[in-house]
């Protein structure tokens, strides 16, 4: 197995893992803490997540690209120091503003204070360094252990609706310790030299980091602070429905986007070899669309059974939310390929940024229009339409640089296969006696039918993947 494939798998598993861990606890905490408390948690964490993007300063994009371009240890260390000094300084400023300003403005002050370790964890988050050099395995294993311990603490210590503070603190501290472990291999390799900062090493990166950070902050206005807005314009129960309904979709998106992030250094290295560059891009685009559509279909078909089984009967009103928001999976994932693999690898920061600015303005305006009258459903419609517009803009802004006939060839087959698969599922009813087995059986049959239809239509991507699997065996 190639190192690129290994890194895609490791990063995919890790990205899914860090998002899925809170999800693993949801069937328990949704019943113990209740709908209202989960809404408070969503309100508090939405602010922390948005500010974490400011602290990272676009390093998951610019940092990965810069580290991938460092061809020897001396340049690698110099590049790391220059990038992390920017992250450190921004982190200190953000945390000071958070403690001295924002905490006094928002309600639930005590819970916001408990979220502080989460913000501090992003000052020491250097996962971008390991993605850039293509080495993730050891760090991921260590972080996985720490996060599993935090989950154990939740199951052991969260026993009633009054234990919301334990739930928030366990997640917050777990994130801090996990990110701290990223430093151990780095210190072993470079020692104290990593802290010999020189502003002259940071200055070359400042402009590009800010150029990428600003649109990423804009996107937080409609992917995280939208939760704060929904909670403010409605109530914590509606916020809980809005936020929890997105959990499964966000895990799938993290899985698909992880491949995009890991392939970006490879795209950077091959940008002068156009044949190789476009071959990688086409495979990534087809794979992303193929998988995102079937995952979307599985969520839509299973939502009515899945929600009350997984979240509890009190969450049944959010079934429609979950069905609608599943459409963000192809919109975000497909657009993410253009953003991270094409725009960033080619240094097209303006084309990368503009869709985020539009999304922020459109989302805020439409939330004020729909949420007061439609509650969580209004917010869900807004985020779904926003992500569609952002995806469309990503493609539109680079339209003159791309051979669309080659790039989009054959992708209609994925859509046809999905429509036939979803329609066929409306004609079949499963009653195995277990909701879990019903969901697993239905999802497995959908996936197999989808692949079979693509094979019948002689889809090039599926045939290529099948041939590779056959050769390995």
């Amino acid at each position: 197995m190639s190192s690129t494939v290994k890194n895609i798998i490791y990063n995919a598993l890790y990205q899914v893992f860090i998002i899925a861990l809170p999800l693993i606890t949801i069937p328990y905490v949704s019943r113990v803490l209740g709908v209202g408390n989960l809404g408070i948690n969503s309100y508090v964490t939405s602010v922390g997540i948005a500010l974490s993007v400011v602290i990272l300063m676009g390093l998951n994009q610019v940092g990965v690209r810069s580290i991938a371009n460092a061809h020897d240890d001396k340049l690698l260390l110099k590049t790391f120091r220059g990038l992390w000094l920017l992250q450190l300084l921004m982190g200190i400023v953000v945390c000071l503003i958070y403690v001295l300003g924002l905490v006094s403005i928002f309600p639930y002050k005590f819970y916001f204070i408990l979220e502080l370790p989460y913000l501090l964890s992003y000052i020491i988050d250097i996962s971008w360094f390991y993605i850039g050099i293509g080495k993730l395995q050891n760090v991921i294993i260590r972080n996985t252990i720490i996060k599993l311990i935090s989950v154990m603490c939740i199951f052991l210590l969260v026993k009633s609706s009054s234990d919301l503070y334990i739930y928030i603190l366990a997640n917050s501290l777990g994130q801090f310790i996990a990110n701290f472990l990223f430093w151990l291999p780095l210190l072993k390799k470079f020692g104290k030299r990593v802290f010999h900062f020189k502003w002259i090493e940071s200055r070359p990166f400042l402009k590009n980091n800010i150029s990428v950070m600003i649109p990423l902050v804009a996107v937080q206005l409609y992917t995280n602070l939208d939760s704060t807005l929904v909670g403010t314009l409605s109530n914590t129960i509606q916020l809980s429905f809005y936020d929890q309904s997105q959990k499964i979709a966000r895990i799938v998106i993290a899985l698909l986007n992880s491949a995009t992030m890991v392939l970006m250094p490879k795209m950077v290295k091959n940008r002068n070899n156009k044949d190789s560059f476009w071959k990688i891009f086409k495979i990534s685009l087809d794979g992303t669309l193929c998988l995102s559509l079937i995952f979307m279909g599985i969520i839509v078909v299973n939502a009515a059974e899945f929600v009350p089984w997984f979240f509890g009967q009190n969450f049944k009103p959010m079934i429609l939310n979950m069905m609608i928001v599943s459409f963000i999976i192809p919109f975000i994932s497909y657009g993410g390929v253009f953003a991270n693999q094409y725009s960033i690898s080619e240094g097209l920061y303006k084309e990368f940024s503009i869709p985020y600015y539009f999304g922020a303005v459109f989302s805020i305006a439409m939330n004020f229009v729909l949420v007061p009258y439609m509650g969580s459903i209004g917010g869900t419609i807004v985020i779904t339409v926003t992500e569609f517009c952002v995806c469309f803009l990503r493609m539109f802004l680079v339209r003159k640089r791309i051979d669309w006939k080659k790039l989009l060839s054959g992708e209609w087959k994925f859509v046809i296969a999905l429509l036939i698969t979803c329609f066929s599922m409306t004609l079949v009813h499963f009653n195995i006696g277990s909701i879990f087995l019903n969901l697993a059986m239905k999802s497995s049959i959908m996936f197999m039918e989808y692949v079979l239809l693509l094979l019948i239509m002689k889809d090039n991507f599926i045939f290529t993947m099948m041939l590779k699997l056959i050769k390995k065996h």
Side-chain angles (χ1 to χ4, degrees):
M1 188 182 294
S2 70
S3 59
T4 300
V5 174
K6 284 183 179 178
N7 283 324
I8 289 174
I9 293 172
Y10 286 134
N11 195 42
L13 291 175
Y14 180 64
Q15 294 301 324
V16 171
F17 184 75
I18 60 177
I19 294 178
L21 268 185
L23 186 61
I24 292 171
T25 64
I26 282 177
Y28 176 74
V29 298
S30 63
R31 291 163 173 83
V32 174
L33 296 178
V35 179
N37 275 335
L38 281 185
I40 294 172
N41 177 67
S42 298
Y43 190 88
V44 171
T45 56
S46 65
V47 176
I49 293 171
L51 292 178
S52 70
V53 175
V54 180
I55 294 172
L56 280 175
M57 287 193 71
L59 288 171
N60 282 331
Q61 289 77 27
V62 178
V64 170
R65 184 174 186 265
S66 301
I67 293 294
N69 277 324
H71 301 298
D72 59 69
D73 282 354
K74 184 178 179 180
L75 181 58
L76 187 66
L77 178 59
K78 180 181 177 181
T79 302
F80 171 80
R81 283 197 307 240
L83 290 167
W84 190 68
L85 178 59
L86 294 175
Q87 183 179 352
L88 174 63
L89 295 174
M90 182 60 75
I92 293 171
V93 171
V94 168
C95 288
L96 287 173
I97 293 173
Y98 181 82
V99 173
L100 300 177
L102 296 182
V103 171
S104 63
I105 296 173
F106 289 107
Y108 314 117
K109 294 178 176 56
F110 175 62
Y111 298 122
F112 272 103
I113 292 172
L114 296 180
E115 190 73 0
L116 183 58
Y118 178 84
L119 278 184
L120 294 173
S121 76
Y122 277 90
I123 297 178
I124 56 174
D125 180 6
I126 54 170
S127 55
W128 47 269
F129 173 80
Y130 292 96
I131 296 174
I133 63 173
K135 293 182 179 179
L136 288 168
Q137 182 179 2
N138 293 337
V139 176
I140 286 174
I141 291 172
R142 291 170 183 164
N143 282 12
T144 300
I145 294 171
I146 295 298
K147 289 182 178 292
L148 284 173
I149 292 172
S150 68
V151 168
M152 288 174 59
C153 290
I154 290 170
F155 283 115
L156 292 172
L157 300 176
V158 177
K159 297 296 183 182
S160 70
S161 59
S162 62
D163 291 334
L164 175 60
Y165 74 97
I166 297 176
Y167 179 65
I168 293 176
L169 190 59
N171 286 322
S172 185
L173 287 175
Q175 181 79 10
F176 180 86
I177 296 171
N179 284 348
F180 173 77
L181 291 179
F182 277 129
W183 284 83
L184 299 181
L186 186 70
L187 291 172
K188 184 178 180 181
K189 181 178 179 66
F190 293 115
K192 294 180 180 179
R193 289 181 294 161
V194 297
F195 301 117
H196 294 170
F197 300 122
K198 298 176 183 177
W199 176 249
I200 195 173
E201 294 176 344
S202 298
R203 194 163 53 191
F205 303 111
L206 183 59
K207 182 179 178 181
N208 285 343
N209 276 64
I210 292 176
S211 297
V212 173
M213 180 192 72
I214 292 174
L216 290 178
V217 170
V219 78
Q220 294 307 304
L221 296 176
Y222 66 87
T223 59
N224 283 299
L225 287 182
D226 60 335
S227 295
T228 309
L229 198 56
V230 170
T232 302
L233 295 174
S234 55
N235 54 60
T236 55
I237 291 178
Q238 288 298 308
L239 170 56
S240 189
F241 293 152
Y242 173 77
D243 189 65
Q244 300 303 317
S245 65
Q246 297 182 34
K247 295 295 186 183
I248 301 295
R250 295 291 177 185
I251 288 175
V252 175
I253 291 166
L255 171 65
L256 297 174
N257 281 359
S258 63
T260 298
M261 292 306 301
V262 172
L263 282 173
M264 200 232 290
K266 195 173 182 68
M267 297 285 284
V268 172
K269 288 181 169 62
N270 284 279
R271 64 183 182 275
N272 294 323
N273 184 344
K274 292 303 178 184
D275 289 338
S276 179
F277 181 93
W278 289 114
K279 182 179 179 181
I280 296 170
F281 191 64
K282 172 64 174 171
I283 291 172
S284 179
L285 205 61
D286 285 355
T288 297
L289 184 62
C290 176
L291 292 173
S292 65
L293 287 176
I294 186 57
F295 280 124
M296 179 192 75
I298 288 172
I299 291 175
V300 170
V301 168
N302 288 321
E305 281 186 287
F306 179 80
V307 169
W309 170 75
F310 188 81
F311 294 92
Q313 292 296 323
N314 291 334
F315 285 84
K316 285 185 73 173
M318 81 175 195
I319 290 173
L320 182 58
N321 294 74
M322 193 173 213
M323 295 174 72
I324 295 171
V325 86
S326 67
F327 284 82
I328 71 173
I329 296 174
F331 298 155
I332 294 177
S333 302
Y334 199 74
V337 178
F338 284 93
N340 295 319
Q341 279 192 37
Y342 187 73
S343 295
I344 291 295
S345 65
E346 291 286 280
L348 303 174
Y349 297 115
K350 183 176 73 173
E351 287 79 359
F352 175 82
S353 304
I354 290 174
Y356 287 140
Y357 299 142
F358 172 84
V361 174
F362 179 82
S363 174
I364 292 173
M366 292 308 297
N367 269 311
F368 274 104
V369 173
L370 295 184
V371 172
Y373 302 100
M374 300 177 67
S376 62
I377 293 294
T380 301
I381 292 172
V382 170
I383 190 64
T384 304
V385 175
T386 300
E387 294 296 0
F388 168 77
C389 294
V390 169
C391 179
F392 174 78
L393 279 175
R394 295 216 171 280
M395 300 170 67
F396 180 79
L397 292 172
V398 296
R399 66 193 183 282
K400 295 180 181 179
R401 299 171 175 268
I402 289 175
D403 185 346
W404 290 104
K405 186 176 181 179
K406 287 184 179 180
L407 202 61
L408 301 182
S409 64
E411 291 192 341
W412 60 270
K413 297 175 183 177
F414 302 135
V415 178
I416 298 299
L418 177 74
L419 292 175
I420 295 173
T421 300
C422 290
F423 176 74
S424 68
M425 284 297 105
T426 64
L427 306 177
V428 181
H429 299 281
F430 297 90
N431 189 16
I432 301 175
S434 164
I435 295 178
F436 174 77
L437 292 177
N438 279 350
L439 292 169
M441 178 67 74
K442 195 186 300 183
S443 300
S444 299
I445 291 174
M446 283 187 68
F447 192 84
M448 289 187 289
E449 180 184 349
Y450 180 71
V451 172
L452 181 61
L453 286 169
L454 289 174
L455 287 173
I456 292 171
M457 289 188 283
K458 298 181 180 180
D459 176 70
N460 186 60
F461 173 77
I462 290 294
F463 263 97
T464 302
M465 293 299 105
M466 288 293 184
L467 287 173
K468 286 185 177 181
L469 287 173
I470 293 169
K471 286 180 181 179
K472 288 180 183 291
H473 297 285

